[in-house]
Amino acid sequence: MSTLAHPTMTAARSTDTVGSAELDRFSYADRPVPPAPRWEGSETELSRVGRKTTSSRGRGLHGQLVQQLGQMIVSGDLGADRPLVPEEIGQRFEVSRTVVRESLRVLEAKGLVSARPNVGTRVRPVTDWNLLDPDIIEWRAFGPARDEQRRELFELRWAIEPLAARLAAGHGREDVQQRLVELIEIMAHAGAQGDLVSYGRADTELHALVLQMAGNRMLEHLSGIISCALHVSGGQSASCERPSDASVSLHTRLVDALGTGDGTAAEAAVRALLTVHPEVEHGVPAPREH
């Protein structure tokens, strides 16, 4: 049996009008969003912070094939034991050679595969993968390596976000600070309504804005990774039945500290947020045995 004929995979449709939402099990696009304070459904300039990623979604057949092949590689269903034959992929998923070629190029850019003359295209070892790529983060987080990926994401957040909060305190523009206050209102309203979608969106934007306010371009560059982490681990919208009052209160403390320029309080608020989350309370980073 062909390695590509995995029973859990579905063949891509032969029309390029098919959206990627069918393959995105975690998309919010088709879920209803109840009204919330000053949440008008349009994406503001500020809310785009941290969304420049290498994600291939929203690109029709090309995006679908990248998603399917990427998931198969990360889950181990496609290994380095045999080359990935473009003709076989095209036949299996009913797509053109152009779609296959472009999809393999994307996977190569992510470090998942390599193409060499006389060798063909093969899956690369995990050590070569771009583990900070948002797609790979999600594929790992919902695959066999889910526990390891979520632990690593949490440890990354613990290392980055408290520092970013300290640096950001008192350095935000007035419009940014106002947006943070609005996001707290949205989170409180969404939490009271049990609207996990609006809550998660506001939470993600708030944390991305904090990294932007830090004034460190390298930290800002990581905001997309933090946003992805909030969706797959450590985020109330992903793991809690209902956002808690304690979480809203801690986010409020964070925003207040940012507004008054109290870096110590801002850092403490973020550490408290990372510690009290029910999914990771036991996972505060500590030395591990090697």
Side-chain angles (χ1 to χ4, degrees):
M1 176 182 289
S2 167
T3 306
L4 291 173
H6 191 270
T8 63
M9 307 309 296
T10 56
R13 297 180 182 178
S14 57
T15 170
D16 210 25
T17 60
V18 177
S20 61
E22 293 182 10
L23 299 176
D24 187 356
R25 293 166 292 166
F26 319 104
S27 174
Y28 299 129
D30 56 353
R31 300 178 63 179
V33 181
R38 310 190 74 166
W39 186 275
E40 300 176 355
S42 60
E43 190 174 45
T44 65
E45 196 66 35
L46 292 175
S47 68
R48 298 192 186 100
V49 176
R51 299 198 182 182
K52 293 182 179 180
T53 69
T54 56
S55 176
S56 57
R57 294 184 190 138
R59 300 180 187 173
L61 287 177
H62 166 256
Q64 290 188 52
L65 187 59
V66 169
Q67 288 288 310
Q68 295 211 26
L69 293 178
Q71 289 169 353
M72 293 175 74
I73 292 171
V74 169
S75 67
D77 293 326
L78 289 178
D81 55 323
R82 61 185 296 276
L84 302 179
V85 182
E87 291 77 11
E88 182 182 346
I89 295 174
Q91 292 175 4
R92 174 59 188 168
F93 295 103
E94 300 179 2
V95 294
S96 68
R97 284 180 291 182
T98 299
V99 171
V100 174
R101 183 170 60 250
E102 292 302 317
S103 298
L104 291 177
R105 284 180 180 174
V106 172
L107 295 175
E108 186 171 16
K110 296 176 183 293
L112 292 178
V113 303
S114 62
R116 297 180 181 178
N118 303 320
V119 175
T121 301
R122 290 183 178 271
V123 174
R124 300 172 69 174
V126 177
T127 52
D128 292 341
W129 297 357
N130 178 8
L131 296 178
L132 297 182
D133 182 282
D135 279 337
I136 294 180
I137 288 174
E138 183 170 299
W139 296 335
R140 291 185 73 211
F142 293 96
R146 63 177 62 86
D147 292 338
E148 179 182 8
Q149 175 67 99
R150 294 182 184 190
R151 173 184 59 76
E152 291 173 351
L153 280 171
F154 173 67
E155 292 174 350
L156 181 64
R157 292 187 63 195
W158 185 267
I160 291 172
E161 291 194 81
L163 172 62
R166 174 180 285 274
L167 295 174
H171 294 153
R173 302 190 313 266
E174 182 177 347
D175 60 333
V176 177
Q177 186 64 31
Q178 179 58 38
R179 181 58 179 168
L180 291 173
V181 173
E182 292 174 356
L183 291 171
I184 293 296
E185 294 175 0
I186 293 169
M187 291 172 68
H189 176 86
Q193 298 295 319
D195 178 4
L196 303 185
V197 176
S198 292
Y199 187 97
R201 286 173 171 168
D203 189 23
T204 298
E205 184 180 336
L206 187 151
H207 285 267
L209 282 173
V210 172
L211 265 70
Q212 182 199 42
M213 292 166 60
N216 183 309
R217 289 193 179 93
M218 296 185 73
L219 285 175
E220 182 180 346
H221 186 71
L222 295 174
S223 62
I225 298 168
I226 300 302
S227 297
C228 185
L230 284 166
H231 285 304
V232 301
S233 69
Q236 286 81 356
S237 61
S239 61
C240 286
E241 190 173 308
R242 186 183 181 92
S244 67
D245 292 338
S247 177
V248 174
S249 177
L250 286 171
H251 281 90
T252 302
R253 280 173 48 189
L254 169 60
V255 171
D256 289 344
L258 293 173
T260 59
D262 190 338
T264 300
E267 179 179 353
V270 170
R271 291 191 184 280
L273 274 170
L274 293 175
T275 303
V276 302
H277 191 277
E279 182 179 272
V280 295
E281 184 172 5
H282 61 281
V284 176
R288 294 193 303 275
E289 295 182 3
H290 296 283

